């Protein structure tokens, strides 16, 4: 491969220019051909290091103003089944099993986005009913201090 | 305000931005407009704050990076100082104030576990905090697509 994947990850901008030939422009900046850059990015996608190349939106602007972190107490034997069921809800954007941090005994962590607080609450109720878990806590976000993407060009 | 074509474009490029020499020609074609209009519309959507950025979304796991969710209680009087310090780390991608006893929640990603531990230990000492970490064990869903 002509363009080194490592170099591409470290040197390209993570906020593409909105121009006719963005790859051409970026390739020039980091000193490779447009074709090399595109091929390298394709390779990184194929390897899964780049999950996707896409537009990342501001959810607030797109009117999903509320996000709630909901933590659920689910027993070990039920985690796989319940986790998958929770993940099937459209409003659930993230669903993980996490270590309890030695702080409490919640095992499944979901992020729920909604257009209002009430929307989020309704989703939580629906999930709770469907999976049969009544031991949970909801933490709405009050302020967003930082929301950014992981990059490798720590500028 | 967004119209139907804007929505179509947003839904399209949220999923995938074309990896071809003329990406906007392709976007235009899929949404029934020309290349120049596609560029203009995407620029406008970005300037108006609908689009944060267009670019690669990395998989920290594939990079063999370590990451964890952290929750900490911070008193109101030192909240902003702590937040500012947390945000200096480029691997901190999300940081929210939430309701509850643990009122600050952030995620941190770094090349090694040691780097994360060091960063957290330093925060704890400097601001007399107790930071709890909740590393993930299983991923059931990561979705970043929002129907608009």
């Amino acid at each position: 491969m002509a363009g080194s994947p490592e170099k591409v990850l470290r040197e390209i901008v993570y906020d593409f220019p909105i121009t006719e030939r963005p790859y051409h422009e970026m390739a020039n900046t980091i000193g490779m051909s447009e074709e090399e850059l595109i091929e390298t990015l394709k390779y990184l996608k194929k390897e899964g290091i780049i999950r996707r190349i896409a537009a990342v939106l501001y959810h607030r602007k797109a009117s999903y103003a509320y996000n709630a972190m909901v933590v659920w107490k689910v027993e070990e034997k039920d985690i796989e089944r319940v986790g998958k069921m929770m993940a099937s809800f459209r409003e659930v954007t993230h669903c993980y099993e996490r270590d309890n941090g030695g702080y409490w005994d919640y095992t499944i962590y979901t992020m729920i986005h909604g257009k209002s607080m009430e929307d989020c609450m309704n989703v939580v109720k629906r999930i709770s009913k469907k999976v049969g878990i009544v031991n949970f806590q909801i933490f709405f976000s009050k302020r967003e201090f930082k929301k950014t993407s992981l990059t490798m060009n720590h500028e | 305000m967004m119209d139907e074509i804007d929505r179509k474009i947003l839904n399209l490029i949220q999923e995938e931005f074309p990896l071809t020499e003329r990406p906007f020609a392709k976007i235009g074609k899929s949404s029934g407009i020309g290349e120049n209009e596609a560029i203009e519309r995407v620029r406008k959507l970005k300037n108006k704050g609908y689009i944060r950025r267009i670019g690669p979304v990395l998989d920290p796991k594939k990079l063999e990076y370590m990451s964890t969710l952290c929750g900490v209680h911070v008193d109101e009087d030192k909240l902003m100082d702590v937040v500012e310090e947390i945000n200096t780390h480029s691997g901190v991608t999300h940081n929210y104030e939430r309701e509850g006893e643990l009122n600050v929640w952030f995620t941190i990603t770094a090349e090694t576990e040691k780097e994360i531990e060091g960063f957290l230990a330093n925060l704890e000492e400097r601001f007399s905090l107790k930071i709890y970490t909740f590393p993930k064990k299983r991923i059931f869903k990561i979705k970043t697509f929002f129907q608009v």
Side-chain angles (χ1 to χ4, degrees):
Chain A
M1 161 143 338
S4 132
E6 175 83 354
K7 179 179 162 74
V8 167
L9 283 175
R10 293 209 184 266
E11 295 182 17
I12 56 159
V13 289
Y14 282 78
D15 188 0
F16 288 1
I18 300 170
T19 54
E20 218 168 77
R21 289 172 70 185
Y23 298 107
H24 180 74
E25 224 173 277
M26 292 187 287
N28 275 345
T29 314
I30 61 178
M32 59 174 67
S33 74
E34 180 182 32
E35 197 192 341
E36 272 169 4
L37 176 61
I38 290 176
E39 285 311 309
T40 309
L41 288 170
K42 277 185 185 161
Y43 166 81
L44 287 164
K45 260 180 87 172
K46 198 182 86 214
E47 291 296 304
I49 293 167
I50 291 179
R51 214 180 264 152
R52 67 207 157 89
I53 294 176
V56 181
L57 304 195
Y58 282 105
H59 306 153
R60 280 167 197 251
K61 260 287 196 197
S63 79
Y64 286 84
Y66 289 87
N67 84 66
M69 181 177 83
V70 187
V71 296
W72 308 80
K73 186 177 170 183
V74 183
E75 287 192 41
E76 176 62 36
K77 64 173 176 37
D78 297 323
I79 289 177
E80 186 74 24
R81 182 181 55 86
V82 169
K84 281 182 180 156
M85 275 169 92
M86 287 179 173
S88 73
F89 281 76
R90 188 176 51 84
E91 298 87 348
V92 171
T93 57
H94 298 74
C95 181
Y96 300 106
E97 178 197 1
R98 290 187 181 277
D99 188 277
N100 66 21
Y103 180 72
W104 50 24
D105 49 15
Y106 297 106
T107 45
I108 294 188
Y109 296 62
T110 53
M111 288 295 311
I112 292 167
H113 287 257
K115 294 182 179 179
S116 68
M117 219 178 243
E118 203 190 345
D119 267 10
C120 294
M121 296 292 292
N122 285 333
V123 175
V124 174
K125 277 184 210 152
R126 273 167 43 220
I127 295 174
S128 171
K129 205 172 160 193
K130 187 172 171 198
V131 302
I133 303 289
V134 292
N135 198 335
F136 60 84
Q137 277 196 67
I138 307 172
F139 302 101
F140 279 100
S141 61
K142 287 167 77 181
R143 268 186 285 183
E144 181 181 285
F145 295 132
K146 190 176 186 185
K147 186 159 192 315
T148 177
S149 301
L150 181 66
T151 67
M152 278 186 66
N153 62 348
H154 300 157
E155 57 215 0
Chain B
M1 273 310 286
M2 281 195 282
D3 63 12
E4 269 318 301
I5 296 173
D6 286 336
R7 272 185 247 279
K8 206 165 175 182
I9 293 174
L10 278 184
N11 286 330
L12 199 77
I13 63 176
Q14 269 195 90
E15 266 192 296
E16 199 187 2
F17 182 77
L19 191 40
T20 57
E21 291 179 10
R22 306 277 286 269
F24 291 97
K26 203 169 171 188
I27 293 164
K29 207 170 170 190
S30 317
S31 19
I33 53 173
E35 181 180 24
N36 286 336
E37 191 183 340
I39 293 175
E40 278 317 305
R41 280 179 181 265
V42 172
R43 270 195 195 139
K44 215 175 260 173
L45 288 167
K46 189 155 180 224
N47 290 339
K48 286 191 176 162
Y50 289 101
I51 298 173
R52 183 193 304 273
R53 68 178 184 103
I54 298 171
V57 177
L58 303 181
D59 185 343
K61 211 171 165 187
K62 279 277 163 68
L63 288 164
E64 295 181 354
Y65 279 15
M66 303 301 300
S67 74
T68 187
L69 172 71
C70 304
V72 56
H73 172 79
V74 185
D75 288 333
E76 190 61 41
D77 60 333
K78 56 183 174 187
L79 185 62
M80 291 324 287
D81 291 336
V82 173
V83 164
E84 200 176 302
E85 186 60 30
I86 292 171
N87 289 351
T88 57
H89 196 289
S90 64
V92 171
T93 54
H94 298 69
N95 188 359
Y96 286 97
E97 179 183 18
R98 294 193 181 278
E99 297 167 340
E101 171 67 15
L102 300 183
N103 57 337
V104 176
W105 288 85
F106 59 97
T107 56
I108 179 165
T109 302
E111 286 186 36
T112 64
E113 193 150 6
K114 218 172 154 191
E115 186 188 331
I116 294 178
E117 281 168 6
F119 179 74
L120 298 181
N122 180 48
L123 274 174
E124 286 186 318
E125 195 187 309
R126 197 166 144 201
F127 297 100
S128 314
L129 306 169
K130 168 71 184 140
I131 301 173
Y132 296 91
T133 59
F134 306 86
K136 51 181 161 291
K137 292 164 84 173
R138 251 180 285 189
I139 300 174
F140 294 108
K141 186 181 194 179
I142 303 176
K143 180 189 120 178
T144 37
F145 184 87
F146 287 80
Q147 190 74 39
V148 289

